[in-house]
Structure formats: C-alpha cells, structure tokens
Amino acid sequence: RINGERLWASLMELAQIGATPKGGVCRLTLTDLDKQGRDLVTRWAREAGMSVTIDKIGNGFMRRAGRNNSLPPIMTGSHIDTQPTGGKFDGNYGVLAGIEVVRTLNDHGIETEAPIEVAFWTNEEGSRFVPVMMGSGVFAKAFTLEHAYAATDTEGKSVKGELERIGYIGDQEPGDHPIGAYFETHIEQGPVLEDNAKTIGVVSGVLGIRWYDCTVTGMEAHAGPTPMALRKDALQVAAQLMQEVVACAHRHPPHGRGTVGMVHVHPNSRNVIPGQVKFSIDLRNATDADCDSMDQDIRAVAAKLSANSGLPIQIELVSNYPAQVFHPDCVDAVGRAAAKLGYSHMPAVSGAGHDAVYMARLAPAGMVFIPCKDGISHNEIEDAQPEHITAGCNVLLHAMLERAGA
Amino acid sequence: RINGERLWASLMELAQIGATPKGGVCRLTLTDLDKQGRDLVTRWAREAGMSVTIDKIGNGFMRRAGRNNSLPPIMTGSHIDTQPTGGKFDGNYGVLAGIEVVRTLNDHGIETEAPIEVAFWTNEEGSRFVPVMMGSGVFAKAFTLEHAYAATDTEGKSVKGELERIGYIGDQEPGDHPIGAYFETHIEQGPVLEDNAKTIGVVSGVLGIRWYDCTVTGMEAHAGPTPMALRKDALQVAAQLMQEVVACAHRHPPHGRGTVGMVHVHPNSRNVIPGQVKFSIDLRNATDADCDSMDQDIRAVAAKLSANSGLPIQIELVSNYPAQVFHPDCVDAVGRAAAKLGYSHMPAVSGAGHDAVYMARLAPAGMVFIPCKDGISHNEIEDAQPEHITAGCNVLLHAMLERAGA
Ligand SMILES: NC(=O)NCCC(=O)O
Ligand SMILES: NC(=O)NCCC(=O)O
C-alpha cells in the first residue's frame, strides 16, 4: 500500500506554485510557474532514484529501472499544467501518484521486471496554446512537432520560444521509445462516482468529442421601429438551435452529451436586433458511429430551422477527437486491483479528453478515476478526499505491478 | 417649397465630418468631430441671419425672430451626434431641415408671427454617455443637469469635462424658455413606410420603452463528464426565455415589440456548461398599460421557467421611457401639410425614442417621418432618397408656418 500522507503532502506542496487566493492553482503551461512545478517534480523523481529525460516538446519521462531494461516500460502519468482558474488535483494527481508508486516500491525494496516510467505531458489543458493534449498528441504523432511549436498564445509567444525560455526543450525525439502499457489516474471531473458513492471508476474508454463553430446570419435592425413580422433576428433562430443541441444529446442515450458553452452576439447592443450570432457546439458520445449520428442529427435540425426561418446557418467542424476504447487487459487490471484492495468501484466512461487517449494509440492503456467534490473541476473550488486520493494510487500501484511483473 | 438640392448638399457636407470608409458617419457626442459639426451648423445658422445660444448641457438654439417676439417660438430640431457606425441622416436630417426652413423663409421674404427656433440636442444617441436623449431630457427636467454632467464614457471622461473641452458649455439655464410647439423630422428607422410605398409618416406618438437586465444562474461544469440529467445549464433556460420575449410581443399586437439584443455568457468557454447568462430585454408598446401588461407577462413566464428548471432568474428594470402620445393639433398639422402638398402619407407610430418625446412634455409636439432604405438605421449603410428628404422638409415648413402664423 502506498503512503497516502506523503502523496497528499506532495500534492499540497506542488499546489503552492501558482496558488490562488480562492484555494485553486493558476499554473499555465510553459510559464515561469510551470518551470518551477517541473523543477520540483523532477527533483522529487531524482530523489527517488529515477533518471529524467525531456523530449523536444517538453514532455518529461522519469524512469525507475527494472530487472530487464530491454522490456518496454510500464508507464503512468498525466500533466501538471492547470487552467487559469484551475484546481490542485486535475493532472497533478496523476503525475504525483506515479512518483508515489515509485517511492512505495523503494520503501519495500520491490524490483519490477519491466522498468517503470512516470510522464508529465506538456500543455494538456490547452488554455494557453491549442491544441489541447499537445505533448501526448505529438508523442503519439497525432500532429507534428512543427505544428505544436508554431502555436502562439494571445501575446504572440510561441510554444517553441517558451520551451526554450524555461529550459524544457529536450533532445529526445517525441515518441521514440516503445511503451509496455499506460495507466493514468485522474479525478473524474464529473458527479457520477460521487452520486453512486463509489471510490474507484474503472474507465472503459473516452467519449469521442466533436467541436463545431455555428453561425446564424440575420439582419441587424433597430429594436424599436422594426415590426415583429419583418425581423430577421439571428438570436431567435440561434436560441432554438442551442436547445436542439441538448435535445440531440437526449436523443442519443446513455452517453450522448451536447453543450453550447460560448456565444457571441453581433453587434450585442440592447436596442439592436442581432444580425449575427456565433456559438460553439460540443457533441460527445461513446463511439464514432454515435458521434456521426449526432453530427447528422444536428445538421438536419439546423437545415430545417434555416429553411423555416429563411436565415442561413453555417456549421463548421473545428476539432474531432475520435472515441477511444481502452484495452481490456488494462481495464481488467484496474478492476482486479480495486476488487483485491476492497474498494467500492464501478465501470466508468471518461467524458473528458485525457493524455491517455493518445497513449492508447501506442500501447494498451487504462484509467483510474476517483470522485471529486460535486463533480466540479476546471474551477478553483475543485476538491478531492484524501482517502480517495490514496485509494486511486493504490489501484494504480497494483495495476502497474501486475503489468510490470514484481 | 424648400430648396431640396440645397438641403441635400448641406446634409452631404455635414456627413464629411466623421465620414467612414463604408459611407457612414462616426461623430460621437462631445468629441472633436462633434465640435466641428456644431461649428458648421451654427455658422450656417448665423449666415441665415439666426442668433445662436447654447445652454448649460450644450443644447444649441438657433433663432429667427418673428413679428411678435414675446410669443413662444415654434421650434424644430433633432441631434447631430451619431452612433459609432452611424449614418448620414439619423438626427442630422432633423436639424438641417430646420435650417432649410429658415433659408426658405428668407428666400421668400416671409416673416412669421412667432419666432422660429431650430435646436440641436446634446447626446441623443447615448452610445458614448448614458442616458440617451440627454440634452432634451435635461431641458424637459426628466433628470437633473448634475446627473447628466456626471455621466462618464468608457475612458472615464465626463460630460461636463467634455462640454468644457470642446467649448460648448453655455450660460443659458436648460428649459428656461417656453415653447409654442415642437416638430421633428426624422427618418423612420423602420420599414413600414417603404413597405407601404408612402412618402410621409404622420406620427401619432412614440412607443413606451422598458429596458431590463435579466440574469439566469446555473452551475458551471465540464461539458464532457457531466451527464445531461445532472446539469444546471443557465444558457438552456436563458434560450427559452429569449424566445418568450418575442412570443410576449406577439401576444401584444399590433404595437408590441420584444427584443433580446445583448447576451453575456459566463465563463463563455467551449467545453464548460454555462454557469450564468446575462441578457438584455427591450419591451415596447403604444401605451403604458400595454407596457405594464408585457412586463407582467414576461415576469410570469420567467417565474414558470425558473420553477420548472430550478434555476434562479432575476429580471431588473433598468430604464423606463413612458409612451408618449403627440398633441392632436400638431399631428393634424402634419397630416394637413402632407395632404396639401400632395404627398402620399399614412399614420405612423415611432418605435424609437426621440428628443420630441421629452419636448412633448413641455409643448404640443409632433413628428414627420420619411422612409429610409430597407428600414435600416444605426448602420453605415443607412440611406434615404433625396425626394423624400425634400418632401419631409416641405411638410415641416407648412406645419411650422401653420403654427407660427405667416
Ligand atoms: N480533461 C480535460 O479537461 N480535457 C480537455 C478536453 C475536453 O474534454 O474538453
Ligand atoms: N432614435 C433612437 O435610436 N433612439 C434611441 C432609443 C431607442 O432605442 O429608441
């Protein structure tokens, strides 16, 4: 069993770097604070006897040798960058749980057959640079290193320049080494485990995500003198379509999700009928076929709304993350570990994207979820219970040991 | 009959000050450009033999003496400030039509019994400083001079400071002189005259306007891991209420208007379920009783939506401009002038607020509408036909002559 108090203390110490007054963390990727976080985590790794290498996109690999170092490592990891109003646990838990696994093996003098590696992936959050899950995406060759390097923040600073500035641009070619298996522990970021009073979520896969930009075009006109019958009010048509996004999700149970999170009204003036409304659509489902079906559904509804209103509606797919089913061996390893340790557990799907999605393209992969308070994350009030933190790390330890061979 | 070409030439000359590349005008109130516009208009007035006085809120009064100068003047006017993306006609037409009336009287050596006054009112548009219709509002004592002086723009500059800076803070006490009658010519800013192929709108009154700020409060959560059934999506409830604003207007024909023009979503992120949505509601109708009825209607609908969704909805009245019925003598004078001159005409209501609304509290008042292209105003493409410009000014001339006594 791992040392829960030590893990908790490390989490709280890392959370000091970029701590916000409301109890959260703001440690955006590739900032000075991110450098401080990386320095602390790699120091802990070296103190635990691990070697540290950095690849060209700034991913860190902290390695504990095995008996047979020609075997591909059993890997775990996550990210230590946060949202601007992020919490202490999202990502950070997955990395520090990996270090705690190694510390525990050291405590008990346990050698593994295969080496163990703990990774921190650059820019998982995507709030400073797009795309999200950048480091693991480059590692898995989902897009090129050059594409990632060229991404800029709102001030025009590039990923490459910022990696150089903080000294975390390594020599290693991303994706150059094979991996035996990948596990990631993470807070659920949703309310299902808490609602079901379970300690461990045995994650079977990650929903496919489609992001769209939608534009409804009407005609700006003065809110006073324009009779109701002569209006081309873009917001009224957009409001119907926004509700259809949710209806579409309800038409695709049990895993369909539909969200309109971002809205821009033009010209956004109290006494002007909106001439144009742009808004985002986020559709998710458990399989790519289900995502396709939701895509067709929302496009058909939009076409009908457009025909009825006479207002053009444009729907553009801007990102597409395929659904990912995790490897049954890894999923079962997580389930067996939870059962053996006596933790209440249930099958879970991840509604959010994670670095594990990309790693699953390279190796058998699985995830361990623990509850977070009220299902809230990406928020300074994000919270998790120490006993759940401990439980998730114990499950990780046993699942990794099963794969690595003790 | 007035000189249409001269009036058109003056309109085009004034439109050079703050001309935009798209053919519109950006001449915000109390800017350097507004000063240039004021200087030009008052120069024209002096050249036409008028005296010019400025009051403490910067309203300008350009006076042509009558035979009996103890009689209160017959007044016309409007404003020369524009929206940021404004047109050449909104307001400017009403002021220059007044000057053209005087020029025409001069051409024909016509003396009137009562004096004639042409006013330009400060900050009708309200886009730089609130409240709208500021100069006429202070003149009519709808609010105090001090209240108007204290208004600031987004850079923190005050009305008083800007009046001083451009040299248009006068000695005259606003509202110190009685008025015999007030007429205002204006583009309709709506499509009704054009749709009915009429040249002149005989305006019977101005709709009451109620402005509200509405807030729907839900709970921010991650768009991925949060199941549909467990969401408190503020935007979904807001979208229903936005449609109810329009439905409410349809339940109050023929003059009910309902518009949601401004929307702010928090945190406005693609993969976050909106935790709070704030939006504006603009309700209008022909009588205050009708406005009351719409107010009760929308509050009842909001209460029902709130009860059904469990999400708090707050509706706050932020401005209330009562409906204004114009004086039958002035309305009839406009109708008679249009008939006498042989212009096609129809009764009209103004859906937009105008300086005439405040003047109607002080004296018999009326308005003359002419069509504008596609009913569009508050837009750089705002346009009006020279023959309509001429016709409206001829109607103004004859209505004023009837009241002033030739
Ligand atoms: N875990 C996480 O927040 N990923 C970001 C991408 C998404 O799922 O919206
Ligand atoms: N004429 C005009 O645009 N007035 C502004 C107030 C309103 O919205 O009616």
Side-chain angles (χ1 to χ4, degrees):
Chain A
R1 298 230 172 191
I2 62 100
N3 182 336
E5 279 172 31
R6 180 170 57 191
L7 171 55
W8 185 262
S10 293
L11 273 165
M12 294 306 116
E13 190 175 338
L14 182 54
Q16 292 302 309
I17 303 172
T20 64
K22 289 188 187 162
V25 180
C26 174
R27 196 184 325 119
L28 295 184
T29 191
L30 307 186
T31 57
D32 289 343
L33 290 172
D34 186 26
K35 176 190 160 50
Q36 285 179 44
R38 288 163 176 260
D39 289 350
L40 180 60
V41 168
T42 50
R43 199 192 82 208
W44 281 335
R46 290 197 182 90
E47 288 170 1
M50 303 165 87
S51 63
V52 178
T53 55
I54 306 293
D55 72 8
K56 290 184 173 173
I57 190 63
N59 296 320
F61 302 96
M62 304 175 287
R63 182 180 175 106
R64 182 179 192 264
R67 270 191 300 271
N68 181 354
N69 289 309
S70 63
L71 286 175
I74 302 305
M75 192 186 272
T76 187
S78 195
H79 58 96
I80 63 164
D81 66 314
T82 76
Q83 292 280 330
T85 54
K88 304 182 192 78
F89 303 98
D90 181 353
N92 294 268
Y93 172 45
V95 176
L96 298 190
I99 289 184
E100 177 55 35
V101 163
V102 171
R103 287 169 170 169
T104 301
L105 296 179
N106 292 347
D107 288 349
H108 296 84
I110 299 172
E111 220 182 351
T112 53
E113 188 65 15
I116 299 274
E117 260 185 40
V118 183
F120 54 85
W121 305 105
T122 295
N123 183 32
E124 192 272 347
E125 293 290 2
S127 26
R128 185 175 176 202
F129 300 104
V130 286
V132 293
M133 303 180 282
M134 180 180 277
S136 52
V138 170
F139 191 89
K141 304 198 190 326
F143 42 87
T144 64
L145 181 62
E146 288 62 42
H147 178 71
Y149 274 169
T152 51
D153 67 7
T154 54
E155 293 176 19
K157 292 179 183 158
S158 72
V159 165
K160 185 167 190 201
E162 289 295 275
L163 275 169
E164 282 165 348
R165 192 184 62 79
I166 68 163
Y168 271 89
I169 191 161
D171 295 329
Q172 204 174 327
E173 210 58 54
D176 73 346
H177 63 297
I179 295 161
Y182 180 85
F183 292 96
E184 183 169 348
T185 48
H186 208 282
I187 54 169
E188 182 197 1
Q189 303 186 279
V192 179
L193 292 177
E194 193 180 66
D195 260 35
N196 288 278
K198 301 289 187 210
T199 298
I200 298 293
V202 180
V203 186
S204 60
V206 181
L207 302 187
I209 309 175
R210 309 249 172 129
W211 282 345
Y212 305 84
D213 283 346
C214 181
T215 307
V216 181
T217 304
M219 172 60 118
E220 284 165 56
H222 196 305
T226 312
M228 299 311 292
L230 299 175
R231 296 179 175 214
K232 294 180 178 170
D233 187 330
L235 182 60
Q236 291 296 317
V237 177
Q240 290 178 63
L241 188 47
M242 289 171 190
Q243 291 174 264
E244 288 293 342
V245 168
V246 167
C248 171
H250 283 295
R251 284 192 289 269
H252 290 79
H255 291 304
R257 310 271 155 89
T259 307
V260 176
M262 188 160 55
V263 182
H264 292 282
V265 174
H266 179 81
N268 217 32
S269 169
R270 197 181 274 285
N271 55 356
V272 182
I273 298 160
Q276 191 164 69
V277 178
K278 290 176 188 271
F279 61 97
S280 64
I281 299 177
D282 176 315
L283 298 180
R284 306 190 185 211
N285 214 325
T287 69
D288 293 334
D290 286 329
C291 290
D292 287 342
S293 165
M294 292 179 80
D295 177 287
Q296 285 151 23
D297 178 318
I298 200 70
R299 287 183 192 275
V301 168
K304 218 165 100 179
L305 281 175
S306 177
N308 289 346
S309 65
L311 271 54
I313 301 178
Q314 193 194 313
I315 297 184
E316 192 194 347
L317 181 70
V318 291
S319 294
N320 182 351
Y321 300 95
Q324 181 67 55
V325 175
F326 287 135
H327 197 287
D329 291 355
C330 289
V331 178
D332 291 349
V334 169
R336 269 192 301 274
K340 186 169 76 178
L341 292 156
Y343 295 130
S344 63
H345 58 282
M346 65 184 286
V349 288
S350 173
H354 291 288
D355 295 309
V357 173
Y358 283 132
M359 300 319 293
R361 300 188 186 180
L362 304 177
M367 288 188 78
V368 182
F369 272 177
I370 62 163
C372 57
K373 187 161 187 299
D374 300 326
I376 292 169
S377 73
H378 288 195
N379 194 314
E380 289 158 273
I381 61 168
E382 178 187 285
D383 204 4
Q385 290 180 33
E387 59 266 37
H388 294 154
I389 292 284
T390 300
C393 189
N394 272 321
V395 170
L396 177 69
L397 169 70
H398 286 266
M400 288 184 80
L401 275 181
E402 182 184 312
R403 299 288 303 191
Chain B
R1 298 231 172 189
I2 62 100
N3 182 335
E5 280 172 29
R6 179 170 57 194
L7 171 54
W8 185 262
S10 293
L11 272 165
M12 293 307 115
E13 192 175 338
L14 182 53
Q16 292 302 308
I17 303 171
T20 64
K22 289 189 188 164
V25 181
C26 173
R27 199 187 319 119
L28 295 183
T29 192
L30 307 187
T31 57
D32 289 343
L33 290 171
D34 186 26
K35 175 189 159 55
Q36 286 178 43
R38 289 162 175 259
D39 288 351
L40 179 61
V41 168
T42 51
R43 199 193 82 207
W44 282 336
R46 290 196 182 91
E47 287 169 2
M50 303 164 87
S51 62
V52 177
T53 55
I54 306 293
D55 74 7
K56 290 185 173 173
I57 190 61
N59 297 320
F61 302 96
M62 304 176 286
R63 183 179 174 105
R64 182 178 192 265
R67 273 190 299 272
N68 181 353
N69 290 308
S70 64
L71 286 175
I74 303 305
M75 192 185 273
T76 188
S78 196
H79 60 97
I80 61 164
D81 66 315
T82 76
Q83 293 279 329
T85 54
K88 304 181 192 77
F89 303 99
D90 180 355
N92 293 268
Y93 172 47
V95 175
L96 297 189
I99 289 183
E100 178 54 35
V101 163
V102 171
R103 287 168 170 171
T104 300
L105 296 179
N106 292 347
D107 289 347
H108 296 85
I110 299 171
E111 222 183 351
T112 54
E113 189 66 16
I116 299 275
E117 259 184 41
V118 183
F120 54 84
W121 305 105
T122 294
N123 183 31
E124 192 272 347
E125 293 291 0
S127 25
R128 185 174 176 204
F129 300 104
V130 288
V132 294
M133 304 180 281
M134 181 180 276
S136 53
V138 170
F139 191 91
K141 303 196 191 324
F143 42 88
T144 65
L145 182 62
E146 287 63 41
H147 177 70
Y149 274 169
T152 51
D153 66 8
T154 52
E155 293 176 18
K157 292 179 183 160
S158 73
V159 165
K160 187 169 189 202
E162 288 296 274
L163 276 168
E164 283 166 347
R165 192 183 63 81
I166 67 163
Y168 272 88
I169 189 159
D171 295 330
Q172 205 175 326
E173 211 57 56
D176 74 345
H177 63 297
I179 295 160
Y182 181 85
F183 293 96
E184 184 168 347
T185 50
H186 208 282
I187 55 170
E188 182 197 0
Q189 303 185 278
V192 180
L193 292 177
E194 195 181 63
D195 259 35
N196 288 275
K198 301 291 187 206
T199 299
I200 298 294
V202 180
V203 186
S204 60
V206 180
L207 302 185
I209 308 174
R210 309 248 172 128
W211 282 345
Y212 303 84
D213 283 346
C214 182
T215 307
V216 181
T217 303
M219 172 61 116
E220 285 164 54
H222 197 305
T226 313
M228 300 311 291
L230 298 176
R231 295 177 175 216
K232 294 180 177 171
D233 187 330
L235 182 61
Q236 291 295 318
V237 177
Q240 291 178 63
L241 187 49
M242 290 173 190
Q243 291 174 264
E244 288 293 343
V245 168
V246 167
C248 170
H250 284 294
R251 283 192 288 269
H252 290 80
H255 292 303
R257 309 272 154 89
T259 308
V260 176
M262 189 159 56
V263 181
H264 293 283
V265 173
H266 179 82
N268 216 34
S269 170
R270 197 180 275 286
N271 55 356
V272 182
I273 299 159
Q276 191 164 69
V277 178
K278 290 177 187 270
F279 61 97
S280 64
I281 299 176
D282 175 315
L283 297 180
R284 305 189 186 212
N285 214 325
T287 69
D288 292 335
D290 286 328
C291 290
D292 287 343
S293 165
M294 290 179 81
D295 177 287
Q296 284 151 23
D297 179 319
I298 201 71
R299 287 183 192 276
V301 168
K304 221 164 97 181
L305 280 176
S306 176
N308 289 347
S309 65
L311 270 56
I313 301 178
Q314 191 193 317
I315 297 184
E316 191 194 346
L317 182 70
V318 291
S319 293
N320 182 351
Y321 301 95
Q324 181 67 55
V325 175
F326 286 135
H327 198 286
D329 291 356
C330 290
V331 178
D332 291 349
V334 169
R336 270 193 300 275
K340 188 169 74 178
L341 292 158
Y343 295 130
S344 63
H345 59 281
M346 64 183 288
V349 289
S350 173
H354 292 288
D355 295 309
V357 172
Y358 283 133
M359 301 319 293
R361 300 187 185 180
L362 304 176
M367 287 188 80
V368 183
F369 271 177
I370 61 162
C372 57
K373 186 161 187 301
D374 300 325
I376 292 169
S377 72
H378 288 193
N379 194 312
E380 289 160 274
I381 63 167
E382 178 187 286
D383 203 3
Q385 290 182 32
E387 59 266 36
H388 294 155
I389 292 284
T390 300
C393 188
N394 272 322
V395 171
L396 177 69
L397 169 71
H398 287 267
M400 289 185 80
L401 276 180
E402 183 184 311
R403 299 288 304 192

